[in-house]
Amino acid sequence: ATYAYSGGRLASVEVDETADGTPESRSVYAYNTAGLLESVVYSTPVSVPKMRFFYAYDANNLMVQVETDLDVDGTVNSRTTYGRDPSGRLLLIDSDNQADGTPDVRTTYGHDANGFNVLQETDTGVDGTVDQRTTMTVNATGQPLRISSDTDLDGNANSITVWTYSPNGELLTLEQDHSADGTVDSRS
């Protein structure tokens, strides 16, 4: 990949997947006056724009919306909206996959007394029924210690991920039990 910068910011990335000297794809990045990413245009081949992403922010420069134009024809095909509390913590993500004004999936987040995300609930279809629940235990600095996902809401975890750290906070191990049966399926 070839990276180009402008004003200290990433301006474009060209990828030559066949290593023949001709890039097959290009992503071009544009920024708003605050220096935040405002749009990305992905082209393949490099002269044919295929997708455009638009990013919007609130007064605190926190992302509040992403819109996707899949054909670069000026029509928004999907919209993701981020809801936050006054402290800027993420409370919900609404995914409107058809950009018709009605969310298709709503994910809500809960936080502990220190403001760390410890709960994620997903409502597919936005019918008021939680379809998946993920709980997280974190240490005093907010590093994840354990994530349990209950994908069928029977009260039992369907997958578990556990992290361990050195006294300096460096990651030592990451273990995954993909079926929550007590057997570690992967360790790194």
Side-chain angles (χ1 to χ4, degrees):
T2 302
Y3 302 90
Y5 295 85
S6 177
R9 295 185 189 98
L10 183 63
S12 67
V13 177
E14 291 185 347
V15 178
D16 179 1
E17 296 172 11
T18 59
D20 64 358
T22 302
E24 284 78 29
S25 66
R26 174 186 296 146
S27 295
V28 177
Y29 303 84
Y31 301 86
N32 64 20
T33 55
L36 302 171
L37 183 63
E38 186 172 63
S39 69
V40 177
V41 177
Y42 173 76
S43 302
T44 183
V46 295
S47 61
V48 181
K50 294 291 186 187
M51 286 187 276
R52 180 176 291 155
F53 303 92
F54 300 97
Y55 303 89
Y57 303 87
D58 65 12
N60 296 315
N61 293 330
L62 297 172
M63 189 179 300
V64 294
Q65 188 168 277
V66 177
E67 293 181 334
T68 305
D69 176 355
L70 294 176
D71 304 314
V72 191
D73 61 2
T75 301
V76 174
N77 301 100
S78 67
R79 181 177 292 115
T80 303
T81 305
Y82 303 86
R84 300 178 184 278
D85 70 8
S87 297
R89 290 180 296 217
L90 187 62
L91 295 178
L92 70 89
I93 298 175
D94 276 345
S95 300
D96 181 357
N97 299 330
Q98 286 79 39
D100 59 6
T102 303
D104 301 292
V105 178
R106 173 170 289 155
T107 304
T108 57
Y109 298 87
H111 302 84
D112 66 11
N114 296 316
F116 298 122
N117 177 19
V118 294
L119 176 66
Q120 175 181 320
E121 295 181 329
T122 302
D123 176 359
T124 303
V126 192
D127 58 5
T129 302
V130 174
D131 300 299
Q132 179 175 334
R133 179 174 292 118
T134 301
T135 57
M136 183 186 313
T137 305
V138 298
N139 64 19
T141 61
Q143 292 174 307
L145 297 174
R146 177 184 169 100
I147 292 180
S148 299
S149 294
D150 184 356
T151 57
D152 54 16
L153 294 180
D154 64 357
N156 298 310
N158 298 95
S159 66
I160 299 170
T161 304
V162 177
W163 290 260
T164 60
Y165 302 91
S166 73
N168 295 329
E170 298 152 334
L171 181 63
L172 295 176
T173 62
L174 168 64
E175 296 180 340
Q176 295 180 309
D177 179 353
H178 300 295
S179 57
D181 62 1
T183 302
V184 174
D185 298 304
S186 66
R187 180 178 291 121
S188 55

